[in-house]
Amino acid sequence: SSLFCFFLCLNQAKKQSQIRSTIIQYWLRILNIKLGWIHDFDKIVIEYVTLFYIEFYYYCYYYYYYYFLPLIKKLYPKMQARYFELLQILQGHERSIRRVKFSLDGRKIVSCSGDKTVGIWDVASRKQLRICKGHSKYVRSAAFSPDGKIVASCSWDKTIRLWDVESGDELMKFDECANLILDVNFSPNGENLVSGSSGNMIHLWDVHSGKIVQTLAGHSHEVWSVQYASNGEMIVSSSYDKTICIWHAKSGKKLKELKGHSSTVINATFSPDNQHIVSCSADGTIRIWDLASEKIFKILNVSSSSVIDAKYFPDGKTVVSCSDNIIQLWNVQSGNEIQQLEGHTSNANSVDVSPDGSTIVVCFADSTLGIWG
């Protein structure tokens, strides 16, 4: 029995050895197959990944160049510009407000109205500080002196009046003009005033004497707007005769005449660097002119029959305009609209930008002012 058990164990050991040998052979075979597959798979993966990245970069370039880049170019001005929102509507006049302007320090606003008054407002508190009374007819324009202590206003009563900002009292009346006075502005040194009139003339006034010291003739119809360049060397005027004229401030000589508008040029102002002019017209366009070449640099087509006012921002890169009840911001370089100011539905008559570019004021036909910031 012991011998039988020995042979039985020996036989079982042989079987286990055969089993182990068979398992090892199959394992090696499978391992070889897997190793071969892995080697081939690496080649396939490398080729596939290479092709994938080639196609991926191609489609990235295609969509960037044909879709994203044009979109970025279109939106870039909006990304650059500040977004303005309505801060407050101010009330104080009884009739339509014709003109609004900031003081040079940006702390005050002056307004003039069909109610024959001139209003002075504090920007920080958004309150009316003074109401100046004395004109007998519609007040067409008003502006601060460079030091902010005096306001000059002009009226259809054919007078220019100076007002003390602190007290609101009338300081002086200029009455040598025989026609309706449509616009008035101070010279940068505060020594003179320039005015445009319905008599087709531009007058320079001495602030201290109240007398006309020079008359500039050249327009064939009434002069709607007049303004000094920031360096005081030139004056720009716009007229019902569809032209814009540039004058030498000291000699009174006409330097340039810009033609291109097909209707009344309602307003024209210098750019901050005095190298360009922005003009707006009853022909429904805003035009930016290069003074050196006397050519139109850009035409901004507004969806309105008439553009009432247009002003540069202090950086010279943006223009704000008003037409009917639409107030728009424009990128000067591209000519694209940046933003429409919302929050008011009445027709706008005038717009101005604070010296630091942070605030916009607009006056309306419903006798209110709107402040955006």
Side-chain angles (χ1 to χ4, degrees), residues 126-269:
R126 300 171 198 159
K127 302 292 184 182
Q128 189 178 70
L129 301 176
R130 308 280 180 270
I131 191 76
C132 307
K133 299 180 179 181
H135 283 293
S136 60
K137 293 185 179 180
Y138 193 115
V139 185
R140 187 66 170 67
S141 182
F144 283 99
S145 61
D147 62 9
K149 296 180 180 180
I150 298 172
V151 161
S153 62
C154 64
S155 169
W156 285 358
D157 65 11
K158 304 178 183 180
T159 69
I160 294 173
R161 299 176 192 239
L162 300 185
W163 310 89
D164 181 79
V165 170
E166 189 63 31
S167 66
D169 295 334
E170 183 180 313
L171 300 175
M172 189 180 295
K173 181 172 72 174
F174 304 174
D175 56 6
E176 282 193 358
C177 185
N179 304 106
L180 307 182
I181 305 177
L182 305 179
D183 195 18
V184 65
N185 273 297
F186 277 92
S187 61
N189 62 12
E191 296 296 314
N192 296 100
L193 289 170
V194 59
S195 68
S197 75
S198 62
N200 314 341
M201 300 294 179
I202 298 166
H203 297 301
L204 303 185
W205 305 76
D206 180 82
V207 168
H208 304 289
S209 67
K211 302 297 182 181
I212 295 174
V213 295
Q214 196 168 10
T215 298
L216 313 182
H219 283 293
S220 59
H221 289 282
E222 58 260 34
V223 180
W224 282 64
S225 74
V226 285
Q227 182 205 15
Y228 276 92
S230 60
N231 58 16
E233 295 178 0
M234 296 180 292
I235 292 170
V236 62
S237 60
S238 68
S239 171
Y240 183 81
D241 65 13
K242 309 175 188 177
T243 69
I244 301 160
C245 291
I246 310 298
W247 311 81
H248 189 274
K250 189 173 182 179
S251 68
K253 180 183 178 182
K254 186 194 290 187
L255 302 175
K256 302 175 188 292
E257 186 175 66
L258 308 178
K259 295 182 179 181
H261 282 291
S262 59
S263 188
T264 304
V265 187
I266 299 173
N267 196 35
T269 58

Side-chain angles (χ1 to χ4, degrees), residues 33 39 67 69 97 109 113 115 127 222 236 247 264 359 368:
I33 291 172
H39 178 70
Y67 291 96
L69 189 59
I97 304 174
I109 294 168
S113 168
D115 64 10
K127 302 292 184 182
E222 58 260 34
V236 62
W247 311 81
T264 304
T359 310
T368 65

